[in-house]
Amino acid sequence: MASRLNSEFNYRTQVLGETPWEKIKHIKNFLVGRKRAAALQDVGSKRLEALRAELQHAIDSNALPHIILRLQADLIEQESVQDDLNESFELNKKEIACLEKYLQELYEIAEPTRIPGYSDDDMFEVNAAHEFTVMIARDIQAEVIANGRPSPAKLRNAMSNPVTFNALKQIGLIPPETEMILPSADVQNVTLISDRSEPLIADSMEQGPHSLV
């Protein structure tokens, strides 16, 4: 029995993407795949037509029996799945219509934020930090709800992007007084600095320990 690859519910809620631009990127990829599948309907029809013509030609030209039998077997096999294929193609058309409708809705939300002169691909790149921030924020929120605290792994992940780290502090998922440790650019001077540009470890360790938070 034929069925859709994905339901509208899945496209709207389960497909990767936390932000409108990221959702657009993934929905466009799905749409390309579904349209490619739709094009195969015409390919399949022409191949079936060609097989029938080849069989008729073999019969008309008094081809050897085993050639005619092989073509007849191929035709029976192809026609046996044709009804299921036709149903799949019709379902695929509905899926394409669903994707195009959802994509239009996403563009209505995202288009006002487009930077003048930027293509979709440019906007996907610009939006990457935003997408990462929302994703990490939701992961940490889920951990807090489930366990009462974020995991060290997710906090470490958030530290990979200062914009994300600061956004999490602003929303209260990380204590606002927390300073993120940054490396010094000088390879000959092992010094750690905070995101407030204040040294956390001096040149000489003899000066004693410093608070990192």
Side-chain angles (χ1 to χ4, degrees), residues 5-74:
L5 179 65
N6 274 309
S7 67
E8 183 173 353
F9 171 81
N10 284 340
Y11 282 128
R12 289 181 176 274
T13 64
Q14 305 303 309
V15 170
L16 293 175
E18 306 288 350
T19 58
W21 281 113
E22 187 70 11
K23 287 182 180 293
I24 286 173
K25 181 174 73 173
H26 290 291
I27 293 299
K28 285 181 72 174
N29 287 336
F30 274 106
L31 188 56
V32 167
R34 301 281 63 77
K35 287 185 175 181
R36 185 179 295 121
L40 295 178
Q41 181 175 13
D42 190 43
V43 173
S45 297
K46 291 185 182 302
R47 284 179 176 170
L48 184 58
E49 183 181 347
L51 184 56
R52 288 170 177 159
E54 186 179 2
L55 174 59
Q56 188 60 50
H57 175 72
I59 294 173
D60 293 343
S61 60
N62 294 318
L64 295 173
H66 73 276
I67 295 178
I68 295 176
L69 288 171
R70 177 180 58 77
L71 291 171
Q72 288 175 333
D74 290 344

Side-chain angles (χ1 to χ4, degrees), residues 17-23 25 109-110 113-115 122-139 158 160-165 167-168 170-171:
E18 306 288 350
T19 58
W21 281 113
E22 187 70 11
K23 287 182 180 293
K25 181 174 73 173
I109 297 171
T113 70
R114 184 188 295 275
I115 300 172
D122 294 331
M123 290 305 301
F124 299 154
E125 183 65 26
V126 171
N127 184 65
H130 185 197
E131 173 68 19
F132 176 77
T133 298
V134 178
M135 179 188 68
I136 293 299
R138 288 184 171 178
D139 286 347
S160 66
N161 181 23
V163 172
T164 299
F165 196 75
L168 293 174
Q170 291 172 9
I171 203 172

Side-chain angles (χ1 to χ4, degrees), residues 6 29 78 115 119-121 129 134 149 153 175 184 203:
N6 274 309
N29 287 336
Q78 186 64 33
I115 300 172
S119 66
D120 281 4
D121 186 66
V134 178
R149 63 168 70 181
S184 168
D203 296 350

Side-chain angles (χ1 to χ4, degrees), residues 189-200:
N189 182 16
V190 181
T191 302
L192 299 176
I193 58 177
S194 74
D195 53 3
R196 298 176 187 174
S197 300
E198 298 173 352
L200 294 176

Side-chain angles (χ1 to χ4, degrees), residues 146-187:
N147 305 318
R149 63 168 70 181
S151 67
K154 285 299 176 185
L155 291 175
R156 178 65 181 87
N157 208 5
M159 290 179 182
S160 66
N161 181 23
V163 172
T164 299
F165 196 75
N166 288 330
L168 293 174
K169 288 197 294 184
Q170 291 172 9
I171 203 172
L173 289 176
I174 293 177
E177 68 275 9
T178 304
E179 299 179 21
M180 185 167 65
I181 298 172
L182 301 173
S184 168
D186 187 355
V187 297

